[in-house]
Amino acid sequence: MARIEKFANPTRFLRLQEKVQPWLAAITALLFAVGLYYALAKAPADYQQGETVRIMFIHVPAAWGATMVYAFMALSSAIAVIFRHPLADLSAKAAAPIGAVFTFLALVTGALWGKPMWGTYWVWDARLTSFFVLFLLYLGYIAVWQAIDDYHRAAKIAAIVALVGAVNVPIIKFSVEWWNSLHQPSIMSSSGSSVHSSILIPLLIMVAAYSFLFLTLHLLAIRSELRKRKIHQLQLAQAQKV
Amino acid sequence: MDLSAKHMEFVLACYGISAVLLLVMTLTIVIRSKQHDRQLARLEQARGKAKK
């Protein structure tokens, strides 16, 4: 907790963010370049799916990003509610649009993969439906921040939405085991992976690329939110003088 | 990658949509951050002048 408290100071956070931002951006670009090269040029076509297997290299990282960002948002909200950390609300708020884009991408690429493989873009099965619910949760969370002017009230209600919605994360993860689903089960488990290294390595690189993209954009978005809050305070002070 | 393979249009659509959306999201966040930086600098400059 002491380490989290250390970055409760926005000035200290901004100083650190300025230092690490270029490095994070460079690592993200490198991971995307290497990952896409392996995904498009090196990985072999699947003996059953053919070239469509390459959709996996952007579908799985987007889906991983979508659930990871929501879990992170729920954790930030919990820290905001329990410890009243001044950056935790902002952290969750800044993460939401990125998570929403990842979820949208996972849904769209999943639908486009489903058509040639299953013969349909969409079925209301457990995995797809729980993922669609995740997208609605993101939209709801963003809508709360947009609809309520009072910062503290918006933060409180948004945190409740994030925490209640967190129940959907394990449902997404285990939906393919709990219910019959068209969606394939997880390729990674505690006992290892069922996928050959020629597919697994590019996949893991792309997952890392999406994770670093989130980290890079998230820090920038928190910076932007901090600036916005300061601008609001200065404008209020000016208005009170007049 | 065999561009003439069956169902290749779905693969290209996925990569195209992902590239466009991720690029738009990145640019939006970067531009918004820069706008806030500029706006804050202007306000702080104006406050500094008012204090003098």
Side-chain angles (χ1 to χ4, degrees):
Chain A
M1 198 59 216
R3 199 165 284 187
I4 297 174
E5 286 296 332
K6 203 177 152 192
F7 298 107
N9 182 336
T11 314
R12 194 176 290 157
F13 168 83
L14 286 173
R15 220 179 298 141
L16 179 79
Q17 181 268 336
E18 268 172 26
K19 265 188 209 160
V20 299
Q21 196 74 49
W23 292 101
L24 286 177
I27 293 169
T28 306
L30 187 70
L31 284 169
F32 266 107
V34 175
L36 285 172
Y37 170 70
Y38 273 93
L40 296 173
K42 284 280 178 191
D46 185 69
Y47 78 103
Q48 273 183 322
Q49 298 193 28
E51 295 289 347
T52 50
V53 76
R54 295 187 201 283
I55 296 174
M56 181 173 69
F57 300 119
I58 44 172
H59 171 72
V60 173
W64 148 257
T67 41
M68 185 256 309
V69 172
Y70 197 90
F72 175 81
M73 244 172 67
L75 183 70
S76 290
S77 299
I79 290 172
V81 170
I82 300 165
F83 301 107
R84 305 205 179 277
H85 189 294
L87 286 181
D89 286 327
L90 282 183
S91 169
K93 186 186 178 192
I98 306 169
V101 169
F102 283 170
T103 312
F104 181 75
L105 279 176
L107 286 169
V108 170
T109 52
L112 286 168
W113 198 7
K115 183 64 179 166
M117 290 302 106
W118 303 337
T120 179
Y121 288 106
W122 187 263
V123 280
W124 290 101
D125 86 344
R127 172 58 70 85
L128 277 72
T129 307
S130 55
F131 227 89
F132 183 65
V133 170
L134 182 72
F135 185 56
L136 296 181
L137 281 167
Y138 272 120
L139 295 186
Y141 181 89
I142 294 167
V144 168
W145 278 106
Q146 297 287 327
I148 302 169
D149 284 333
D150 178 42
Y151 178 85
H152 296 290
R153 214 171 137 241
K156 210 176 271 180
I157 298 171
I160 293 168
V161 172
L163 288 170
V164 171
V167 77
N168 192 41
V169 174
I171 293 177
I172 292 171
K173 168 86 178 94
F174 296 108
S175 56
V176 285
E177 292 166 28
W178 291 342
W179 294 286
N180 284 326
S181 175
L182 265 180
H183 198 282
Q184 69 171 67
S186 177
I187 54 170
M188 300 288 283
S189 69
S190 52
S191 56
S193 170
S194 55
V195 178
H196 190 263
S197 60
S198 60
I199 297 279
L200 187 65
I201 289 168
L203 184 62
L204 291 178
I205 296 172
M206 287 302 283
V207 167
Y210 271 66
S211 304
F212 269 86
L213 178 67
F214 167 68
L215 201 58
T216 310
L217 294 180
H218 183 237
L219 289 183
L220 201 58
I222 294 179
R223 177 196 174 86
S224 196
E225 286 295 334
L226 279 169
R227 296 291 203 221
K228 205 170 127 188
R229 204 158 71 171
K230 179 95 178 161
I231 289 165
H232 186 64
Q233 283 167 354
L234 286 176
Q235 282 172 338
L236 269 181
Q238 268 183 354
Q240 278 167 355
K241 270 186 194 170
V242 177
Chain B
M1 186 167 65
D2 178 11
L3 286 171
S4 59
K6 206 176 161 192
H7 302 310
M8 203 58 202
E9 65 277 17
F10 291 100
V11 180
L12 295 176
C14 282
Y15 278 84
I17 291 167
S18 296
V20 169
L21 269 181
L22 292 181
L23 199 66
V24 168
M25 174 173 74
T26 305
L27 286 177
T28 307
I29 292 172
V30 170
I31 291 169
R32 229 175 129 228
S33 170
K34 293 232 180 289
Q35 274 174 348
H36 285 145
D37 281 353
R38 273 199 299 270
Q39 200 180 350
L40 183 63
R42 263 203 309 273
L43 278 170
E44 281 181 334
Q45 204 178 10
R47 196 172 64 150
K49 275 182 190 169
K51 270 187 183 169
K52 279 179 192 172

